[in-house]
Amino acid sequence: MAFANYTELVASINDWLDRSDLTGAAPDMIALAESRMRRELSPLFAERSADLTSAATGIASVPADFGTLDRVIYDGATLNQLGEVPAANLGTGTVPLAYTIEANAIRLWPAGAYDITILYHPVLSFLTVANPTTDLLDNHPDLYFHGAMLYAHGYVKDDPRAAQFKALWDEALDEAKRYFTRQVFSTSLKPQVANVP
């Protein structure tokens, strides 16, 4: 593709649309495409880890790219996730026994200042003028372009290219899913042979 950042992507979409009345619509089209990509691709992004320190209240803020949590680890042990009421009944102590997720933060129970490690899947960050590129744009620019052009058919009534862009975007999404799945599960699975007496 002939673009490497947000500004070039917007310019390319505008060139393809070739409609002066739609020059301001490209950012909306990109944002709509990114919303679907977030839903479909974010769960497949490789797991990341982050070291966090909770305040004395037991609350630790999650990273800015936090999407979904896999595990919370303290001193090599995985903590259990509990609801707030059962966790609050853990009383006091000097080590965390459980956690809850609350408003972009992790609360450790019993409360205290602890060093923990979290394993999580990041969420796709949105492209903007201030955030002009992402790893996804760098490695899969066709996803952004074909997705934005698919949403463009909502602006351009009866555009005969809509079906073509939908097919191209669906194909690119499937290829990206396979790519990220291979990253997460990079080793081949080996069948287990049962012992037969």
Side-chain angles (χ1 to χ4, degrees), residues 54-56 58 74-75 79 90-98 108-116:
S54 65
Y74 174 78
D75 198 25
L79 301 181
L90 291 176
T92 61
T94 58
V95 296
L97 302 173
L108 301 168
W109 301 87
Y114 307 111
D115 293 325
I116 59 169

Side-chain angles (χ1 to χ4, degrees), residues 96-107:
L97 302 173
Y99 71 92
T100 56
I101 299 176
E102 302 174 9
N104 295 322
I106 295 172
R107 181 187 292 266

Side-chain angles (χ1 to χ4, degrees), residues 23-76:
T23 55
D28 290 341
M29 297 170 198
I30 294 168
L32 288 168
E34 284 179 318
S35 292
R36 181 174 172 196
M37 288 188 286
R38 274 183 169 215
R39 288 191 302 274
E40 296 202 27
L41 298 178
S42 290
L44 300 174
F45 290 166
E47 188 177 66
R48 292 184 182 174
S49 67
D51 296 325
L52 309 176
T53 300
S54 65
T57 58
I59 296 176
S61 296
V62 296
D65 66 345
F66 179 83
T68 57
L69 183 65
D70 288 338
R71 286 191 288 157
V72 176
I73 301 167
Y74 174 78
D75 198 25

